[in-house]
Amino acid sequence: MKYSVLGDGVAMSERCEDGNKKYGSRVMITEATYRESKVATSFLTRKLDWIEVKDFNGPCAIYQVFCERKEAKKEQIEMCTKHNRAMDMYRNREFEKAIELFEEVLTYKVIKYVEEVYNGEDRAATLMIARCKHLIKHPPPPGAWDIAKLGAI
């Protein structure tokens, strides 16, 4: 007999698993999890992107979880803060400013997992720099833009 599991939760967990490879993270959560009680205050996270999710109104943010906040090092907090500010600039179409902040993010030491598995490449910041450069050359249309289409996983 063969068994399988179906449903939105399973589909989302598969997308997060694929996203971990794309963004070079180990633990990824969705906006719904991030908004759960005490998640944002208990864990150090950085926003990675926005994706489309069935039955979700608008783009859904995805986050990388670094560690428990109480265990976070000063440099990790600074890096996540800069990365999150860069993501805000990106969403507001301030691509040049976003690039500057993402480039600053690249100056921080990566976590051991990233060093070992991805040869020290901060894939999330690198990907966003490339995307911002593309959007400078090929700007999204005026008004609302489908930010989640670019972050498809």
Side-chain angles (χ1 to χ4, degrees):
M1 228 179 226
K2 291 184 180 180
Y3 295 94
S4 65
V5 180
L6 301 172
D8 292 342
V10 174
M12 196 55 152
S13 65
E14 288 176 351
R15 290 176 76 186
C16 285
E17 183 179 357
D18 291 343
N20 277 325
K21 295 170 191 158
K22 179 178 180 177
Y23 298 98
S25 57
R26 181 179 265 177
V27 179
M28 183 184 291
I29 60 173
T30 64
E31 190 167 356
T33 302
Y34 181 81
R35 290 177 186 237
E36 287 289 323
S37 177
K38 298 184 182 178
V39 171
T41 56
S42 299
F43 297 95
L44 179 63
T45 62
R46 70 174 173 171
K47 189 178 288 182
L48 295 175
D49 215 337
W50 289 267
I51 60 171
E52 287 183 302
V53 178
K54 180 182 163 188
D55 298 328
F56 191 86
N57 188 18
C60 174
I62 52 174
Y63 297 82
Q64 177 180 10
V65 178
F66 273 86
C67 60
E68 286 188 64
R69 242 183 221 284
K70 64 184 177 190
E71 296 174 3
K73 296 176 182 154
K74 180 183 173 193
E75 294 79 22
Q76 290 174 316
I77 295 168
E78 288 173 2
M79 186 276 299
C80 286
T81 300
K82 282 187 184 186
H83 187 96
N84 289 334
R85 281 186 22 233
M87 292 301 290
D88 290 340
M89 297 292 165
Y90 164 75
R91 184 159 194 170
N92 292 327
R93 301 173 190 233
E94 298 177 59
F95 303 122
E96 291 90 358
K97 291 178 184 177
I99 289 171
E100 288 176 25
L101 287 169
F102 286 127
E103 287 176 343
E104 287 181 36
V105 167
L106 293 177
T107 66
Y108 288 87
K109 185 173 176 13
V110 295
I111 56 177
K112 187 177 180 182
Y113 171 77
V114 172
E115 189 67 50
E116 293 171 352
V117 177
Y118 299 103
N119 297 319
E121 178 191 10
D122 184 329
R123 284 187 165 188
T126 302
L127 182 141
M128 294 309 296
I129 289 169
R131 189 180 301 164
C132 286
K133 287 180 179 179
H134 173 80
L135 289 169
I136 289 169
K137 291 179 182 175
H138 309 282
W145 60 304
D146 194 351
I147 197 168
K149 287 247 188 274
L150 297 171
I153 54 173

